[in-house]
Protein backbone atom coordinates (compact mmCIF):
# COMPACT_ATOMS: atom_id res chain seq x y z
CA UNK A 1 0.00 0.00 0.00
CA UNK A 2 1.16 3.46 -0.80
CA UNK A 3 2.48 5.50 2.08
CA UNK A 4 0.97 8.91 1.54
CA UNK A 5 2.57 10.35 4.62
CA UNK A 6 6.03 10.18 3.08
CA UNK A 7 8.84 7.68 2.44
CA UNK A 8 10.60 8.62 5.68
CA UNK A 9 7.73 6.99 7.59
CA UNK A 10 7.02 3.28 7.96
CA UNK A 11 4.76 1.93 5.25
CA UNK A 12 1.47 0.12 5.83
CA UNK A 13 2.66 -3.03 4.05
CA UNK A 14 5.90 -3.35 6.02
CA UNK A 15 5.60 -6.79 7.61
CA UNK A 16 8.51 -6.04 9.93
CA UNK A 17 6.59 -3.17 11.52
CA UNK A 18 5.07 -4.44 14.75
CA UNK A 19 2.88 -1.82 16.42
CA UNK A 20 3.94 -1.21 19.98
CA UNK A 21 1.59 1.66 20.82
CA UNK A 22 -1.45 3.13 19.07
CA UNK A 23 -2.67 6.71 19.11
CA UNK A 24 -5.88 8.38 17.97
CA UNK A 25 -7.33 11.88 18.00
CA UNK A 26 -10.38 12.69 20.12
CA UNK A 27 -12.91 11.74 17.42
CA UNK A 28 -10.91 8.73 16.18
CA UNK A 29 -10.65 9.92 12.59
CA UNK A 30 -6.86 10.20 12.71
CA UNK A 31 -4.99 7.11 13.90
CA UNK A 32 -1.38 6.10 13.91
CA UNK A 33 0.97 3.49 15.32
CA UNK A 34 4.54 3.44 16.51
CA UNK A 35 6.84 0.42 16.53
CA UNK A 36 9.32 1.65 19.15
CA UNK A 37 9.56 3.63 22.33
CA UNK A 38 10.21 7.37 22.12
CA UNK A 39 13.84 8.48 22.20
CA UNK A 40 13.02 11.26 24.66
CA UNK A 41 10.07 13.07 26.15
CA UNK A 42 9.86 16.70 27.22
CA UNK A 43 7.44 19.22 28.57
CA UNK A 44 7.51 22.55 26.78
CA UNK A 45 6.30 25.74 28.43
CA UNK A 46 6.83 28.10 25.48
CA UNK A 47 4.17 30.63 24.53
CA UNK A 48 3.51 28.98 21.15
CA UNK A 49 2.75 25.67 22.85
CA UNK A 50 0.53 27.41 25.39
CA UNK A 51 -1.50 29.12 22.69
CA UNK A 52 -1.61 26.30 20.15
CA UNK A 53 -2.67 23.75 22.76
CA UNK A 54 -4.87 25.98 24.88
CA UNK A 55 -2.94 24.55 27.80
CA UNK A 56 -0.24 25.67 30.23
CA UNK A 57 2.33 23.33 28.67
CA UNK A 58 2.90 20.72 26.00
CA UNK A 59 4.04 17.13 26.66
CA UNK A 60 5.79 15.60 23.67
CA UNK A 61 7.40 12.20 23.10
CA UNK A 62 9.91 12.11 20.30
CA UNK A 63 10.02 9.34 17.70
CA UNK A 64 12.06 8.60 14.60
CA UNK A 65 9.74 8.88 11.59
CA UNK A 66 10.67 5.37 10.50
CA UNK A 67 8.96 4.09 13.67
CA UNK A 68 5.68 5.88 12.89
CA UNK A 69 2.90 5.06 10.47
CA UNK A 70 -0.43 6.75 9.92
CA UNK A 71 -3.22 4.21 9.63
CA UNK A 72 -6.30 6.40 9.17
CA UNK A 73 -7.38 9.95 8.53
CA UNK A 74 -4.71 11.23 6.16
CA UNK A 75 -7.27 13.35 4.29
CA UNK A 76 -8.44 14.88 7.56
CA UNK A 77 -5.08 16.21 8.68
CA UNK A 78 -4.55 19.91 9.07
CA UNK A 79 -1.05 21.35 8.90
CA UNK A 80 0.11 24.68 10.25
CA UNK A 81 3.58 26.15 10.16
CA UNK A 82 3.51 28.52 13.11
CA UNK A 83 6.85 30.17 12.29
CA UNK A 84 5.66 31.34 8.86
CA UNK A 85 1.99 31.51 9.74
CA UNK A 86 1.13 29.23 6.80
CA UNK A 87 -1.54 26.53 6.73
CA UNK A 88 0.65 24.11 4.83
CA UNK A 89 2.84 21.11 5.46
CA UNK A 90 6.06 23.09 5.64
CA UNK A 91 8.31 21.41 8.22
CA UNK A 92 8.42 21.90 11.10
CA UNK A 93 4.67 22.12 11.41
CA UNK A 94 1.76 21.41 13.70
CA UNK A 95 -0.46 18.48 12.75
CA UNK A 96 -4.06 18.37 13.95
CA UNK A 97 -7.35 16.68 13.14
CA UNK A 98 -9.49 18.76 10.82
CA UNK A 99 -12.66 17.28 12.33
CA UNK A 100 -12.23 17.48 16.11
CA UNK A 101 -9.33 19.94 16.17
CA UNK A 102 -7.19 17.77 18.44
CA UNK A 103 -3.46 18.39 18.13
CA UNK A 104 -1.90 15.17 16.79
CA UNK A 105 1.83 15.90 16.76
CA UNK A 106 4.53 18.36 15.87
CA UNK A 107 6.11 17.13 12.65
CA UNK A 108 9.76 18.09 12.68
CA UNK A 109 12.21 17.86 9.81
CA UNK A 110 13.55 14.54 11.12
CA UNK A 111 11.43 13.56 14.09
CA UNK A 112 7.79 13.06 14.98
CA UNK A 113 6.90 14.75 18.29
CA UNK A 114 3.87 12.85 19.51
CA UNK A 115 1.45 13.96 22.20
CA UNK A 116 1.30 11.02 24.63
CA UNK A 117 -2.24 11.79 25.81
CA UNK A 118 -3.45 10.47 22.42
CA UNK A 119 -2.02 7.02 23.09
CA UNK A 120 -4.16 4.18 24.35
CA UNK A 121 -1.75 2.65 26.82
CA UNK A 122 -2.86 -0.67 28.12
CA UNK A 123 -3.59 0.78 31.52
CA UNK A 124 -4.76 4.30 30.98
CA UNK A 125 -3.08 5.71 34.05
CA UNK A 126 0.17 3.82 33.63
CA UNK A 127 2.39 5.77 31.32
CA UNK A 128 5.38 3.69 30.14
CA UNK A 129 8.67 4.97 31.54
CA UNK A 130 9.91 5.84 28.06
CA UNK A 131 7.10 8.39 27.69
CA UNK A 132 7.78 10.09 30.99
CA UNK A 133 9.24 13.57 30.59
CA UNK A 134 12.97 13.92 31.24
CA UNK A 135 13.00 17.72 31.49
CA UNK A 136 11.10 20.96 31.16
CA UNK A 137 12.02 23.33 28.36
CA UNK A 138 11.24 27.03 27.99
CA UNK A 139 10.48 26.93 31.70
CA UNK A 140 11.25 30.65 31.83
CA UNK A 141 7.91 31.24 30.04
CA UNK A 142 5.90 29.04 32.39
CA UNK A 143 2.48 29.98 33.66
CA UNK A 144 2.45 27.15 36.20
CA UNK A 145 5.20 26.27 38.69
CA UNK A 146 6.09 22.60 39.00
CA UNK A 147 7.84 20.95 41.88
CA UNK A 148 9.25 17.78 40.34
CA UNK A 149 12.95 16.91 40.27
CA UNK A 150 13.33 17.20 36.49
CA UNK A 151 15.86 19.63 34.99
CA UNK A 152 14.26 22.91 34.03
CA UNK A 153 15.77 24.84 31.13
CA UNK A 154 15.05 28.48 30.31
CA UNK A 155 15.00 27.56 26.60
CA UNK A 156 16.10 24.45 24.71
CA UNK A 157 17.61 21.48 26.56
CA UNK A 158 21.40 21.74 26.86
CA UNK A 159 21.39 25.08 24.99
CA UNK A 160 20.06 27.44 27.62
CA UNK A 161 20.32 28.23 31.29
CA UNK A 162 19.20 25.73 33.88
CA UNK A 163 16.71 27.31 36.22
ZN1 LIG B 1 -10.37 13.95 15.32
ZN1 LIG C 1 6.89 24.87 22.99
Amino acid sequence: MENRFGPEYASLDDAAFIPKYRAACFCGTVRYEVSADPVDAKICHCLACQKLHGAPMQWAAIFHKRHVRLTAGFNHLHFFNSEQGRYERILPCKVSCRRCGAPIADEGRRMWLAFPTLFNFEHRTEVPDSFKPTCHIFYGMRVVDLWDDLPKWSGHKDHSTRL
Side-chain angles (χ1 to χ4, degrees):
M1 198 184 296
E2 175 193 11
N3 183 351
R4 289 183 295 173
F5 213 45
E8 66 274 36
Y9 289 87
S11 74
L12 285 171
D13 58 8
D14 181 359
F17 186 103
I18 296 160
K20 186 161 188 181
Y21 305 105
R22 292 186 170 83
C25 67
F26 181 82
C27 74
T29 299
V30 178
R31 296 173 182 277
Y32 73 89
E33 302 168 334
V34 295
S35 61
D37 282 288
V39 295
D40 198 3
K42 302 174 191 175
I43 291 182
C44 184
H45 297 257
C46 83
L47 185 61
C49 286
Q50 291 175 26
K51 290 210 170 205
L52 288 161
H53 289 259
M57 61 197 84
Q58 180 216 71
W59 175 24
I62 304 164
F63 292 88
H64 290 286
K65 292 182 177 180
R66 64 179 180 275
H67 294 146
V68 176
R69 70 179 181 189
L70 198 76
T71 52
F74 180 83
N75 293 328
H76 296 284
L77 292 177
H78 174 72
F79 300 100
F80 177 57
N81 179 304
S82 60
E83 283 170 20
Q84 299 179 30
R86 290 169 70 178
Y87 312 102
E88 292 174 55
R89 194 178 178 195
I90 302 166
L91 304 184
C93 68
K94 310 291 298 185
V95 185
S96 59
C97 172
R98 208 179 276 281
R99 282 186 169 166
C100 69
I104 305 291
D106 283 350
E107 186 179 18
R109 291 181 183 87
R110 290 173 44 245
M111 309 299 280
W112 175 262
L113 286 75
F115 305 138
T117 42
L118 274 68
F119 284 72
N120 59 341
F121 299 123
E122 199 167 337
H123 306 286
R124 184 67 219 178
T125 55
E126 286 176 29
V127 174
D129 283 343
S130 60
F131 283 77
K132 290 182 179 162
T134 62
C135 66
H136 295 274
I137 59 173
F138 291 94
Y139 194 67
M141 302 174 94
R142 71 190 177 281
V143 291
V144 173
D145 286 326
L146 299 170
W147 306 101
D148 57 42
D149 295 330
L150 299 176
K152 297 174 177 70
W153 300 91
S154 64
H156 283 293
K157 181 181 183 178
D158 298 330
H159 296 281
S160 63
T161 312
R162 261 188 79 169
L163 302 172

